[in-house]
Amino acid sequence: RETTILNILPAMVRAAEPLTASQMLVALTLGDDGTGAKLLARITRKSWDALALGQGTRVFAQVKGVSLVDA
């Protein structure tokens, strides 16, 4: 799929928990081996299920610069 997002980073799902009935909070670690910096992502449960995500799943994090917050 084409995207306008320029920051596409390999990552691994480390953990996830429901935020609401329709949203998940997903903890990711960056890098092909999942040993890099940590990111938190908020996705829909529908996407979580459709992508069959789970702990250890390798993914690509697509990050919009305007969506970053300092924690």
Side-chain angles (χ1 to χ4, degrees), residues 34-63:
T35 60
K38 298 175 185 175
L39 288 179
L40 285 176
R42 186 175 53 212
I43 66 171
T44 64
R45 181 170 298 264
K46 182 177 180 179
S47 292
W48 174 265
D49 293 338
L51 295 169
L53 298 176
Q55 188 173 359
T57 303
R58 294 180 192 275
V59 297
F60 287 93
Q62 296 186 23
V63 182

